[in-house]
Amino acid sequence: MLEQMGIQAVEAKKVLMVASTEMKNRALTKIAEELVANTEKIVEANQLDLDAGRKNGMAASMLDRLKLDTDRIAGMAKGVMDVVNLPDPVGRILNTVQRPNGLIIQKVSTPLGVIGVIFEARPNVTSDAAALCLKSGNAVILRGGKEAIHSNQMIAQIMRDAVKKAGLPENVIQLVGDTSRDSANELMQMNQYVDVLIPRGGAGLIQAVVKNATVPVIETGVGNCHIYVDWEADIEKAVEIVFNAKTNRVSVCNAAESLLIHKDIAEKVLGKIKERLDEKQVELVGDDASRKIVEGIAPATKEDWGTEYLDYKMSVKIVESLDMAVEHIYQYGTGHSECIITENKETAEEFLNRVDSAAVYVNASTRFTDGGEFGFGAEIGISTQKLHARGPIGLPELQSFKYKIYGNGQIR
Amino acid sequence: MLEQMGIQAVEAKKVLMVASTEMKNRALTKIAEELVANTEKIVEANQLDLDAGRKNGMAASMLDRLKLDTDRIAGMAKGVMDVVNLPDPVGRILNTVQRPNGLIIQKVSTPLGVIGVIFEARPNVTSDAAALCLKSGNAVILRGGKEAIHSNQMIAQIMRDAVKKAGLPENVIQLVGDTSRDSANELMQMNQYVDVLIPRGGAGLIQAVVKNATVPVIETGVGNCHIYVDWEADIEKAVEIVFNAKTNRVSVCNAAESLLIHKDIAEKVLGKIKERLDEKQVELVGDDASRKIVEGIAPATKEDWGTEYLDYKMSVKIVESLDMAVEHIYQYGTGHSECIITENKETAEEFLNRVDSAAVYVNASTRFTDGGEFGFGAEIGISTQKLHARGPIGLPELQSFKYKIYGNGQIR
C-alpha cells in the first residue's frame, strides 16, 4: 500500500518540481481558505481523537496539544499563508563557472524530491509540513501518530482537494492512514521513492527513525542545551539569560537544561541565578561544589548531565576552566545550542569555535534557535546533525541542487 | 576495538577542527614527503597483497589496480600536494544577518567532524581520502578491503607518523586493521563518534552501507548514465559525444551506458553512431525499433535498461518524444549524469529542468562529471543522493556549518 503512495508521490513530484511560484502560491492560498472554510469538519474529526484520547487516559497536557478549535485552525491557515509570502527557494543559481574548455557549469537549487515526515500527536504539523514542502517543490508523505489520525486525515483531505482545485496533482500531499509501526518502518526504507525523511517528535521517535531508516534522514530535535558563565561574565546578563533560556518555555528543544559556572565567579552569581529561578520554582540539581555555595540544590547524578528535562529543572556544575566547560559539553551535549556569558571577546570566540553545536551563542538566550527568530520565516524542525542541514530547517534547507552543464560538443 | 578508535578520532578532531591552514598544509606536505621517502617499504607491503591476490586467483585487471610502484607512489604524493594548494574550506563566513533585536547571526563553515570512509581494493584511496579529510578539518577512520590490507596499513602508518612529526595528533588518520564484515558494520553504527560515512566502491558495497548504516551516509557512485539524441540534434556532435562518453574510459561511473534516440532522427544518426562505436568494438543491445534501423544490434532485455555495464557495451532505444526519454531516465537512471544532444535551446532547458540527476548536460560528454573537470581540484567521490552533497564531492562538500550568534543580553 505504501509502495503505491511512493509511486504516486514521484509522479506528483515531477509536476511540482517544475511548477511556477505563482501556481504553488495559488495552491497554498487555496489550502488556507479551505482549512478555514472547513473548520467545523476539522473540529468534528478532532473530537473523535480527543474522545479516544480521554478514553485511553491521555494526560491533560497532551490532550491540550491535540485539541483543535476555531482559533487554532485559523492559526494553521495563517501559518500556510506565511509560507506564501516566503521567497521560492527553487531554481536559484548558486554558482556559475566557465571552464577553460568552454563548458558553462551552473549550480542550481532544486527540490529534494519526495520528503517523508514522521511525526507525533500535534495535528498542526500536518498543514505546517505540507505547506513548507509544497512551496519548496517537494511532494510529501506524512505519517502522523494514531492519537491524531482522524484530525490528520481530515486536514490532509482538505489540503489535497484544495491543491487539486488549484491545478496541481493532489498527490503532492499524501497521508499514511495506517498508523502501525510497520507502516512507519516501510516508509523509512522506501529508498526507491523517498529522498529524505524528517522525523518530528520526541527522542524515542527520532532514535527509531535513525536506527531503522535506510532513506537519508535529517535528524531533528533533542536539545540538552548548556549555558556557560565565564569568570568575566556580566552578572546581570548571566542571571537574565539563564532565567529566560530555562523558563521562557520549558517544553522546547532550545530551552537550557544545564548550567556550567566558572569557579571564580560562582560565589557571586550562583545565588542570584537561583533566586531568579526560584520565582518559577525551578528545581536545581548540582555537583558538590555548587551545593556548597548555595543551599537548596539537590545532588546531581551522572544521568542528570545527559538529561533533556523539558521541565522546570536544571543541572548545575562548577568548572575550573573553559576547557572543562567545553569538555563537559562534548561529553553530554546533543549538538543543539550552547551559550557562553562573558565580556571577553577572545574567550567568547574560543568557545564559539571549539563547541561543536548547531548554534553557539555569546550573551544571548538559547531560545533564539528557531526559524522565525533567525528570520527564516518558518521551519520544519531544528537539525542536530551535521549533514545537509544544521540548526533551523527553513525552505532553503529543503533544497538539493543540480549541476546544469552547457556545452557545444565538448568531449574528454 | 573500533569504539576506542572512535574515541580517539573525536579527540583528534577537536584539535584538527581549529587547526590553522598553515599547520594542516605542513602536515600534508610532510605526508607527501614521507610517502616518497618510504617508497620501498610501501612496495614491499604491496607485494604481500599482490602475492595473496595471485594465490587467490585475483583477475589481472584487479591485480593491476592493486599494484603500487615508484610512479604510482609518486602520483599519490602529488595528489596530496595538490590538496595543499586548494583553498581551506573551514571557517568561511557563508552569511551574516543582523536581526531587529540586535543579534548578529553568522553562518560559518565547519568541518563535518569524524568521517568514516569504507572502500575497496585500490590502496591509493587511503592517501587521497586522508588528505582531503585532513585539509577539510575532519578526522578520518579508513576501512579498506582485505585485498589491500598490507599496503593500506603501511600507507596509513607513514601518514600518521608524518602528521605527528608536523605537530598534529596522529589519530586524525586511523585505519581499521580488522577487515571482517563485522568491523564494517560496527563502523556504520558508531553514531556517537562518526558524523558521516562515505562508501567508495562498487554497487554492492554502497548498497550494504546504505542498508546497514545508522550513521548518515553520502551515497556515491553508481552511474547508469543516458544520452538522449533529440530530433534537432547536430549529428556530428551526437556521434562524437556518444563515442567519447561510452569509450573514453568504460570502467568509470560517468561513462554513458544507454542511448535514447528520437524517432525522427534515428535513421540518420544511429548508423553513424554504430559505425563510430564499432571502432572500439562496442556491443550494442537495443529495442525492436533500433534493430530495424541498423543491423548488428542484439535484442535488449529489461535488465539491460537498468544495467551499468562499465564495459564496451551500450543499450539503445528509440523514443517517440522528450517526454518518453525523461520517463525512461526516471525509470532506469541512477541520478548520476544525463545528456541531451540538441540545437534547440528550449528543448535543452526542458530536459535539464525535468531530469532529476546530479549533472545534466546539453551537448557535452557525461565524462565531465568529475571534481577535476568541474574545477574542484580533487574529489572524494561522486554523490548520487540529494542530501548534502550532489555530484563531485570536493573540499567544500566535506563541510558542515554552524551558526555563531553574537548578543549583548538578548532574551525572548
Side-chain angles (χ1 to χ4, degrees), chain A residues 14 112 244 327 352-353 355-356 358 363 367 386 388 390 401-404 409 412, chain B residues 13-14 112 244 327 352-353 355 358 363 367 386 388 390 401-404 409 412:
Chain A
K14 291 178 191 170
L112 287 162
N244 181 264
E327 278 307 314
L352 299 192
N353 287 331
V355 170
D356 196 11
N363 296 335
R367 287 278 292 120
K386 291 193 236 171
H388 189 76
R390 200 178 193 195
F401 56 83
K402 67 164 66 162
Y403 293 97
K404 290 184 178 179
R412 270 182 91 173
Chain B
K13 161 201 105 160
K14 291 178 192 170
L112 287 162
N244 180 264
E327 278 307 313
L352 299 192
N353 287 331
V355 170
N363 295 337
R367 287 278 293 121
K386 291 193 234 171
H388 188 77
R390 202 178 192 196
F401 56 82
K402 66 164 68 163
Y403 292 99
K404 291 183 177 180
R412 269 181 92 174

mmCIF file of all heavy atoms in Angstrom, chain A residues 14 112 244 327 352-353 355-356 358 363 367 386 388 390 401-404 409 412, chain B residues 13-14 112 244 327 352-353 355 358 363 367 386 388 390 401-404 409 412:
data_model
loop_
_atom_site.group_PDB
_atom_site.id
_atom_site.type_symbol
_atom_site.label_atom_id
_atom_site.label_comp_id
_atom_site.label_asym_id
_atom_site.label_seq_id
_atom_site.Cartn_x
_atom_site.Cartn_y
_atom_site.Cartn_z
ATOM 1 N N LYS A 14 7.175 15.119 -10.098
ATOM 2 C CA LYS A 14 7.651 15.506 -11.433
ATOM 3 C C LYS A 14 6.973 16.791 -11.891
ATOM 4 O O LYS A 14 7.577 17.607 -12.583
ATOM 5 C CB LYS A 14 7.355 14.394 -12.449
ATOM 6 C CG LYS A 14 8.179 13.144 -12.241
ATOM 7 C CD LYS A 14 7.761 12.082 -13.267
ATOM 8 C CE LYS A 14 8.352 10.726 -12.937
ATOM 9 N NZ LYS A 14 7.760 9.651 -13.785
ATOM 10 N N LEU A 112 14.297 18.609 -3.099
ATOM 11 C CA LEU A 112 14.851 17.313 -2.706
ATOM 12 C C LEU A 112 14.118 16.193 -3.444
ATOM 13 O O LEU A 112 14.709 15.180 -3.782
ATOM 14 C CB LEU A 112 14.733 17.121 -1.196
ATOM 15 C CG LEU A 112 15.715 17.964 -0.360
ATOM 16 C CD1 LEU A 112 15.259 18.053 1.089
ATOM 17 C CD2 LEU A 112 17.122 17.393 -0.439
ATOM 18 N N ASN A 244 15.758 33.282 31.330
ATOM 19 C CA ASN A 244 14.967 33.226 30.100
ATOM 20 C C ASN A 244 15.132 31.888 29.378
ATOM 21 O O ASN A 244 14.154 31.266 28.939
ATOM 22 C CB ASN A 244 15.378 34.369 29.166
ATOM 23 C CG ASN A 244 14.563 34.369 27.880
ATOM 24 O OD1 ASN A 244 14.989 33.826 26.863
ATOM 25 N ND2 ASN A 244 13.362 34.933 27.928
ATOM 26 N N GLU A 327 34.768 20.476 27.392
ATOM 27 C CA GLU A 327 34.793 19.009 27.512
ATOM 28 C C GLU A 327 33.461 18.464 28.015
ATOM 29 O O GLU A 327 32.967 17.438 27.547
ATOM 30 C CB GLU A 327 35.922 18.566 28.448
ATOM 31 C CG GLU A 327 37.280 18.509 27.771
ATOM 32 C CD GLU A 327 37.264 17.662 26.503
ATOM 33 O OE1 GLU A 327 36.711 16.544 26.531
ATOM 34 O OE2 GLU A 327 37.780 18.135 25.468
ATOM 35 N N LEU A 352 32.992 29.704 20.906
ATOM 36 C CA LEU A 352 32.190 29.542 19.681
ATOM 37 C C LEU A 352 32.887 28.601 18.694
ATOM 38 O O LEU A 352 32.240 27.818 18.002
ATOM 39 C CB LEU A 352 31.944 30.892 19.001
ATOM 40 C CG LEU A 352 31.171 31.972 19.774
ATOM 41 C CD1 LEU A 352 30.779 33.108 18.839
ATOM 42 C CD2 LEU A 352 29.932 31.430 20.456
ATOM 43 N N ASN A 353 34.213 28.687 18.633
ATOM 44 C CA ASN A 353 34.938 27.847 17.677
ATOM 45 C C ASN A 353 35.066 26.402 18.143
ATOM 46 O O ASN A 353 35.019 25.479 17.339
ATOM 47 C CB ASN A 353 36.334 28.420 17.416
ATOM 48 C CG ASN A 353 36.274 29.667 16.555
ATOM 49 O OD1 ASN A 353 35.368 29.827 15.741
ATOM 50 N ND2 ASN A 353 37.215 30.562 16.748
ATOM 51 N N VAL A 355 33.216 24.690 20.533
ATOM 52 C CA VAL A 355 31.994 23.924 20.810
ATOM 53 C C VAL A 355 31.344 23.537 19.482
ATOM 54 O O VAL A 355 31.088 24.391 18.630
ATOM 55 C CB VAL A 355 31.019 24.733 21.685
ATOM 56 C CG1 VAL A 355 29.669 24.048 21.758
ATOM 57 C CG2 VAL A 355 31.611 24.906 23.081
ATOM 58 N N ASP A 356 31.103 22.253 19.292
ATOM 59 C CA ASP A 356 30.658 21.725 18.003
ATOM 60 C C ASP A 356 29.140 21.536 18.003
ATOM 61 O O ASP A 356 28.642 20.425 17.923
ATOM 62 C CB ASP A 356 31.387 20.401 17.765
ATOM 63 C CG ASP A 356 31.299 19.962 16.305
ATOM 64 O OD1 ASP A 356 30.867 20.762 15.461
ATOM 65 O OD2 ASP A 356 31.670 18.804 16.034
ATOM 66 N N ALA A 358 25.097 23.177 16.669
ATOM 67 C CA ALA A 358 24.456 23.868 15.552
ATOM 68 C C ALA A 358 24.440 25.380 15.773
ATOM 69 O O ALA A 358 24.725 26.155 14.856
ATOM 70 C CB ALA A 358 23.034 23.349 15.379
ATOM 71 N N ASN A 363 26.334 35.668 25.060
ATOM 72 C CA ASN A 363 25.457 36.651 25.715
ATOM 73 C C ASN A 363 24.052 36.764 25.116
ATOM 74 O O ASN A 363 23.547 37.873 24.903
ATOM 75 C CB ASN A 363 26.123 38.039 25.731
ATOM 76 C CG ASN A 363 27.399 38.066 26.558
ATOM 77 O OD1 ASN A 363 27.560 37.240 27.469
ATOM 78 N ND2 ASN A 363 28.293 38.992 26.261
ATOM 79 N N ARG A 367 17.114 30.257 23.518
ATOM 80 C CA ARG A 367 15.758 30.195 22.960
ATOM 81 C C ARG A 367 15.654 30.789 21.553
ATOM 82 O O ARG A 367 14.644 30.615 20.874
ATOM 83 C CB ARG A 367 14.786 30.912 23.909
ATOM 84 C CG ARG A 367 14.479 30.143 25.180
ATOM 85 C CD ARG A 367 13.408 29.083 24.960
ATOM 86 N NE ARG A 367 12.131 29.719 24.686
ATOM 87 C CZ ARG A 367 11.432 29.552 23.573
ATOM 88 N NH1 ARG A 367 11.886 28.762 22.622
ATOM 89 N NH2 ARG A 367 10.278 30.160 23.403
ATOM 90 N N LYS A 386 24.997 17.010 11.229
ATOM 91 C CA LYS A 386 25.872 17.919 10.507
ATOM 92 C C LYS A 386 25.747 17.788 8.994
ATOM 93 O O LYS A 386 26.229 18.629 8.259
ATOM 94 C CB LYS A 386 27.314 17.679 10.952
ATOM 95 C CG LYS A 386 27.500 18.141 12.400
ATOM 96 C CD LYS A 386 28.937 18.214 12.770
ATOM 97 C CE LYS A 386 29.183 17.375 13.981
ATOM 98 N NZ LYS A 386 30.622 17.252 14.265
ATOM 99 N N HIS A 388 23.989 18.122 5.531
ATOM 100 C CA HIS A 388 22.951 18.866 4.815
ATOM 101 C C HIS A 388 22.435 20.096 5.571
ATOM 102 O O HIS A 388 22.723 21.203 5.191
ATOM 103 C CB HIS A 388 21.772 17.965 4.444
ATOM 104 C CG HIS A 388 20.791 18.627 3.534
ATOM 105 N ND1 HIS A 388 21.042 18.800 2.205
ATOM 106 C CD2 HIS A 388 19.584 19.192 3.756
ATOM 107 C CE1 HIS A 388 20.018 19.449 1.637
ATOM 108 N NE2 HIS A 388 19.135 19.699 2.569
ATOM 109 N N ARG A 390 21.766 22.081 9.326
ATOM 110 C CA ARG A 390 22.107 22.145 10.747
ATOM 111 C C ARG A 390 21.388 23.360 11.307
ATOM 112 O O ARG A 390 21.355 24.405 10.672
ATOM 113 C CB ARG A 390 23.629 22.313 10.876
ATOM 114 C CG ARG A 390 24.166 21.913 12.232
ATOM 115 C CD ARG A 390 25.670 22.059 12.284
ATOM 116 N NE ARG A 390 26.212 21.386 13.458
ATOM 117 C CZ ARG A 390 27.434 21.580 13.920
ATOM 118 N NH1 ARG A 390 28.251 22.409 13.303
ATOM 119 N NH2 ARG A 390 27.849 20.955 15.012
ATOM 120 N N PHE A 401 20.544 20.428 -4.976
ATOM 121 C CA PHE A 401 20.967 21.224 -6.120
ATOM 122 C C PHE A 401 21.347 20.270 -7.234
ATOM 123 O O PHE A 401 21.513 19.066 -7.027
ATOM 124 C CB PHE A 401 22.141 22.146 -5.760
ATOM 125 C CG PHE A 401 23.333 21.422 -5.201
ATOM 126 C CD1 PHE A 401 24.254 20.817 -6.036
ATOM 127 C CD2 PHE A 401 23.523 21.321 -3.829
ATOM 128 C CE1 PHE A 401 25.345 20.126 -5.524
ATOM 129 C CE2 PHE A 401 24.614 20.628 -3.291
ATOM 130 C CZ PHE A 401 25.525 20.036 -4.142
ATOM 131 N N LYS A 402 21.424 20.798 -8.442
ATOM 132 C CA LYS A 402 21.959 20.002 -9.542
ATOM 133 C C LYS A 402 22.935 20.880 -10.318
ATOM 134 O O LYS A 402 22.938 22.105 -10.171
ATOM 135 C CB LYS A 402 20.840 19.498 -10.455
ATOM 136 C CG LYS A 402 20.102 20.575 -11.225
ATOM 137 C CD LYS A 402 19.279 20.049 -12.406
ATOM 138 C CE LYS A 402 18.115 19.172 -12.072
ATOM 139 N NZ LYS A 402 17.132 19.063 -13.193
ATOM 140 N N TYR A 403 23.780 20.245 -11.103
ATOM 141 C CA TYR A 403 24.652 20.988 -11.997
ATOM 142 C C TYR A 403 24.071 20.925 -13.399
ATOM 143 O O TYR A 403 23.865 19.832 -13.935
ATOM 144 C CB TYR A 403 26.062 20.399 -11.992
ATOM 145 C CG TYR A 403 26.777 20.583 -10.669
ATOM 146 C CD1 TYR A 403 26.811 19.575 -9.723
ATOM 147 C CD2 TYR A 403 27.394 21.805 -10.374
ATOM 148 C CE1 TYR A 403 27.449 19.761 -8.503
ATOM 149 C CE2 TYR A 403 28.038 21.992 -9.164
ATOM 150 C CZ TYR A 403 28.060 20.970 -8.228
ATOM 151 O OH TYR A 403 28.692 21.156 -7.026
ATOM 152 N N LYS A 404 23.823 22.116 -13.986
ATOM 153 C CA LYS A 404 23.438 22.186 -15.393
ATOM 154 C C LYS A 404 24.688 22.549 -16.164
ATOM 155 O O LYS A 404 25.340 23.560 -15.851
ATOM 156 C CB LYS A 404 22.399 23.283 -15.592
ATOM 157 C CG LYS A 404 21.030 22.999 -14.993
ATOM 158 C CD LYS A 404 20.102 24.154 -15.383
ATOM 159 C CE LYS A 404 18.697 23.948 -14.878
ATOM 160 N NZ LYS A 404 17.833 25.107 -15.272
ATOM 161 N N GLY A 409 29.611 20.575 -27.798
ATOM 162 C CA GLY A 409 30.318 19.457 -28.400
ATOM 163 C C GLY A 409 31.552 19.015 -27.634
ATOM 164 O O GLY A 409 32.312 18.179 -28.146
ATOM 165 N N ARG A 412 36.051 14.595 -23.692
ATOM 166 C CA ARG A 412 37.311 14.458 -22.942
ATOM 167 C C ARG A 412 38.311 13.653 -23.724
ATOM 168 O O ARG A 412 37.928 12.696 -24.394
ATOM 169 C CB ARG A 412 37.076 13.724 -21.624
ATOM 170 C CG ARG A 412 36.753 14.645 -20.502
ATOM 171 C CD ARG A 412 36.569 13.877 -19.218
ATOM 172 N NE ARG A 412 37.813 13.742 -18.468
ATOM 173 C CZ ARG A 412 37.889 13.223 -17.246
ATOM 174 N NH1 ARG A 412 36.792 12.829 -16.624
ATOM 175 N NH2 ARG A 412 39.046 13.125 -16.619
ATOM 176 N N LYS B 13 39.889 15.171 16.365
ATOM 177 C CA LYS B 13 39.053 16.148 15.657
ATOM 178 C C LYS B 13 38.981 17.480 16.389
ATOM 179 O O LYS B 13 38.971 18.552 15.775
ATOM 180 C CB LYS B 13 37.649 15.570 15.505
ATOM 181 C CG LYS B 13 36.574 16.601 15.226
ATOM 182 C CD LYS B 13 35.183 16.119 15.568
ATOM 183 C CE LYS B 13 34.682 16.750 16.864
ATOM 184 N NZ LYS B 13 33.207 16.688 16.993
ATOM 185 N N LYS B 14 38.931 17.414 17.713
ATOM 186 C CA LYS B 14 38.836 18.657 18.494
ATOM 187 C C LYS B 14 40.020 19.575 18.200
ATOM 188 O O LYS B 14 39.884 20.791 18.187
ATOM 189 C CB LYS B 14 38.808 18.337 19.997
ATOM 190 C CG LYS B 14 37.538 17.651 20.466
ATOM 191 C CD LYS B 14 37.634 17.342 21.959
ATOM 192 C CE LYS B 14 36.530 16.400 22.401
ATOM 193 N NZ LYS B 14 36.749 15.906 23.778
ATOM 194 N N LEU B 112 32.879 18.557 9.117
ATOM 195 C CA LEU B 112 31.823 17.626 9.497
ATOM 196 C C LEU B 112 32.152 16.974 10.833
ATOM 197 O O LEU B 112 31.267 16.684 11.619
ATOM 198 C CB LEU B 112 31.647 16.554 8.417
ATOM 199 C CG LEU B 112 30.982 17.046 7.125
ATOM 200 C CD1 LEU B 112 31.237 16.080 5.983
ATOM 201 C CD2 LEU B 112 29.478 17.236 7.331
ATOM 202 N N ASN B 244 32.671 9.407 -27.207
ATOM 203 C CA ASN B 244 33.537 9.776 -26.093
ATOM 204 C C ASN B 244 32.959 9.316 -24.757
ATOM 205 O O ASN B 244 33.674 8.752 -23.920
ATOM 206 C CB ASN B 244 33.735 11.296 -26.082
ATOM 207 C CG ASN B 244 34.636 11.739 -24.943
ATOM 208 O OD1 ASN B 244 34.166 12.134 -23.880
ATOM 209 N ND2 ASN B 244 35.944 11.657 -25.150
ATOM 210 N N GLU B 327 10.897 10.006 -19.071
ATOM 211 C CA GLU B 327 10.281 8.907 -18.309
ATOM 212 C C GLU B 327 11.224 7.696 -18.223
ATOM 213 O O GLU B 327 11.337 7.053 -17.183
ATOM 214 C CB GLU B 327 8.953 8.486 -18.943
ATOM 215 C CG GLU B 327 7.793 9.361 -18.557
ATOM 216 C CD GLU B 327 7.633 9.503 -17.042
ATOM 217 O OE1 GLU B 327 7.677 8.483 -16.322
ATOM 218 O OE2 GLU B 327 7.494 10.644 -16.572
ATOM 219 N N LEU B 352 16.980 19.673 -19.062
ATOM 220 C CA LEU B 352 17.803 19.956 -17.876
ATOM 221 C C LEU B 352 16.938 20.138 -16.630
ATOM 222 O O LEU B 352 17.314 19.733 -15.534
ATOM 223 C CB LEU B 352 18.642 21.225 -18.089
ATOM 224 C CG LEU B 352 19.655 21.251 -19.240
ATOM 225 C CD1 LEU B 352 20.575 22.456 -19.115
ATOM 226 C CD2 LEU B 352 20.498 19.995 -19.310
ATOM 227 N N ASN B 353 15.774 20.764 -16.798
ATOM 228 C CA ASN B 353 14.916 21.001 -15.634
ATOM 229 C C ASN B 353 14.173 19.756 -15.182
ATOM 230 O O ASN B 353 13.966 19.544 -13.996
ATOM 231 C CB ASN B 353 13.904 22.112 -15.940
ATOM 232 C CG ASN B 353 14.561 23.468 -15.978
ATOM 233 O OD1 ASN B 353 15.564 23.707 -15.299
ATOM 234 N ND2 ASN B 353 14.021 24.358 -16.800
ATOM 235 N N VAL B 355 14.876 16.409 -15.842
ATOM 236 C CA VAL B 355 15.650 15.227 -15.458
ATOM 237 C C VAL B 355 16.272 15.480 -14.084
ATOM 238 O O VAL B 355 16.964 16.480 -13.875
ATOM 239 C CB VAL B 355 16.735 14.920 -16.506
ATOM 240 C CG1 VAL B 355 17.689 13.852 -15.983
ATOM 241 C CG2 VAL B 355 16.071 14.443 -17.788
ATOM 242 N N ALA B 358 22.180 14.440 -10.796
ATOM 243 C CA ALA B 358 23.187 15.334 -10.218
ATOM 244 C C ALA B 358 23.754 16.280 -11.278
ATOM 245 O O ALA B 358 23.927 17.468 -11.042
ATOM 246 C CB ALA B 358 24.307 14.512 -9.592
ATOM 247 N N ASN B 363 24.784 18.892 -24.980
ATOM 248 C CA ASN B 363 25.871 18.871 -25.976
ATOM 249 C C ASN B 363 27.273 18.757 -25.387
ATOM 250 O O ASN B 363 28.195 19.483 -25.792
ATOM 251 C CB ASN B 363 25.797 20.119 -26.871
ATOM 252 C CG ASN B 363 24.536 20.135 -27.723
ATOM 253 O OD1 ASN B 363 23.944 19.082 -27.976
ATOM 254 N ND2 ASN B 363 24.122 21.317 -28.155
ATOM 255 N N ARG B 367 31.303 12.347 -19.361
ATOM 256 C CA ARG B 367 32.597 12.108 -18.710
ATOM 257 C C ARG B 367 33.104 13.306 -17.925
ATOM 258 O O ARG B 367 34.069 13.192 -17.167
ATOM 259 C CB ARG B 367 33.630 11.683 -19.765
ATOM 260 C CG ARG B 367 33.440 10.286 -20.287
ATOM 261 C CD ARG B 367 34.056 9.234 -19.355
ATOM 262 N NE ARG B 367 35.505 9.366 -19.346
ATOM 263 C CZ ARG B 367 36.218 9.605 -18.254
ATOM 264 N NH1 ARG B 367 35.631 9.753 -17.090
ATOM 265 N NH2 ARG B 367 37.523 9.710 -18.333
ATOM 266 N N LYS B 386 20.588 13.195 -2.804
ATOM 267 C CA LYS B 386 20.249 14.614 -2.894
ATOM 268 C C LYS B 386 20.515 15.360 -1.597
ATOM 269 O O LYS B 386 20.507 16.587 -1.580
ATOM 270 C CB LYS B 386 18.788 14.747 -3.308
ATOM 271 C CG LYS B 386 18.606 14.281 -4.748
ATOM 272 C CD LYS B 386 17.283 14.692 -5.281
ATOM 273 C CE LYS B 386 16.546 13.484 -5.811
ATOM 274 N NZ LYS B 386 15.161 13.809 -6.141
ATOM 275 N N HIS B 388 22.706 16.919 1.194
ATOM 276 C CA HIS B 388 24.033 17.472 1.482
ATOM 277 C C HIS B 388 24.885 17.695 0.233
ATOM 278 O O HIS B 388 25.125 18.824 -0.142
ATOM 279 C CB HIS B 388 24.803 16.590 2.473
ATOM 280 C CG HIS B 388 26.083 17.211 2.942
ATOM 281 N ND1 HIS B 388 26.102 18.203 3.882
ATOM 282 C CD2 HIS B 388 27.367 17.016 2.591
ATOM 283 C CE1 HIS B 388 27.364 18.588 4.095
ATOM 284 N NE2 HIS B 388 28.145 17.886 3.324
ATOM 285 N N ARG B 390 25.782 16.648 -3.838
ATOM 286 C CA ARG B 390 25.309 16.014 -5.064
ATOM 287 C C ARG B 390 26.364 16.263 -6.129
ATOM 288 O O ARG B 390 26.889 17.372 -6.217
ATOM 289 C CB ARG B 390 23.970 16.648 -5.470
ATOM 290 C CG ARG B 390 23.130 15.771 -6.378
ATOM 291 C CD ARG B 390 21.804 16.432 -6.703
ATOM 292 N NE ARG B 390 20.907 15.484 -7.324
ATOM 293 C CZ ARG B 390 19.803 15.826 -7.983
ATOM 294 N NH1 ARG B 390 19.455 17.095 -8.090
ATOM 295 N NH2 ARG B 390 19.033 14.914 -8.536
ATOM 296 N N PHE B 401 28.158 23.382 8.735
ATOM 297 C CA PHE B 401 28.236 24.791 9.125
ATOM 298 C C PHE B 401 27.664 24.909 10.522
ATOM 299 O O PHE B 401 27.020 23.982 11.024
ATOM 300 C CB PHE B 401 27.472 25.685 8.136
ATOM 301 C CG PHE B 401 26.030 25.302 7.954
ATOM 302 C CD1 PHE B 401 25.062 25.709 8.863
ATOM 303 C CD2 PHE B 401 25.626 24.503 6.890
ATOM 304 C CE1 PHE B 401 23.730 25.328 8.703
ATOM 305 C CE2 PHE B 401 24.287 24.120 6.734
ATOM 306 C CZ PHE B 401 23.350 24.537 7.641
ATOM 307 N N LYS B 402 27.958 26.010 11.166
ATOM 308 C CA LYS B 402 27.320 26.306 12.440
ATOM 309 C C LYS B 402 26.880 27.760 12.410
ATOM 310 O O LYS B 402 27.343 28.541 11.573
ATOM 311 C CB LYS B 402 28.251 26.045 13.618
ATOM 312 C CG LYS B 402 29.468 26.964 13.685
ATOM 313 C CD LYS B 402 30.161 26.958 15.046
ATOM 314 C CE LYS B 402 30.841 25.687 15.433
ATOM 315 N NZ LYS B 402 31.821 25.849 16.543
ATOM 316 N N TYR B 403 25.953 28.093 13.315
ATOM 317 C CA TYR B 403 25.561 29.482 13.474
ATOM 318 C C TYR B 403 26.246 30.037 14.705
ATOM 319 O O TYR B 403 26.091 29.488 15.798
ATOM 320 C CB TYR B 403 24.045 29.604 13.625
ATOM 321 C CG TYR B 403 23.298 29.254 12.352
ATOM 322 C CD1 TYR B 403 22.729 27.997 12.189
ATOM 323 C CD2 TYR B 403 23.185 30.175 11.323
ATOM 324 C CE1 TYR B 403 22.061 27.668 11.014
ATOM 325 C CE2 TYR B 403 22.512 29.845 10.152
ATOM 326 C CZ TYR B 403 21.952 28.595 9.999
ATOM 327 O OH TYR B 403 21.294 28.275 8.847
ATOM 328 N N LYS B 404 27.024 31.127 14.513
ATOM 329 C CA LYS B 404 27.594 31.853 15.654
ATOM 330 C C LYS B 404 26.691 33.054 15.889
ATOM 331 O O LYS B 404 26.461 33.845 14.968
ATOM 332 C CB LYS B 404 28.994 32.341 15.320
ATOM 333 C CG LYS B 404 30.046 31.265 15.179
ATOM 334 C CD LYS B 404 31.387 31.956 14.927
ATOM 335 C CE LYS B 404 32.528 30.965 14.847
ATOM 336 N NZ LYS B 404 33.818 31.682 14.603
ATOM 337 N N GLY B 409 22.991 40.378 25.683
ATOM 338 C CA GLY B 409 21.984 40.204 26.726
ATOM 339 C C GLY B 409 20.588 39.915 26.198
ATOM 340 O O GLY B 409 19.621 39.898 26.965
ATOM 341 N N ARG B 412 14.250 36.206 25.009
ATOM 342 C CA ARG B 412 12.937 36.163 24.339
ATOM 343 C C ARG B 412 11.832 36.456 25.335
ATOM 344 O O ARG B 412 11.881 36.007 26.469
ATOM 345 C CB ARG B 412 12.691 34.771 23.753
ATOM 346 C CG ARG B 412 13.175 34.664 22.347
ATOM 347 C CD ARG B 412 12.899 33.297 21.792
ATOM 348 N NE ARG B 412 11.609 33.226 21.107
ATOM 349 C CZ ARG B 412 11.179 32.161 20.436
ATOM 350 N NH1 ARG B 412 11.947 31.098 20.339
ATOM 351 N NH2 ARG B 412 9.998 32.165 19.855
#
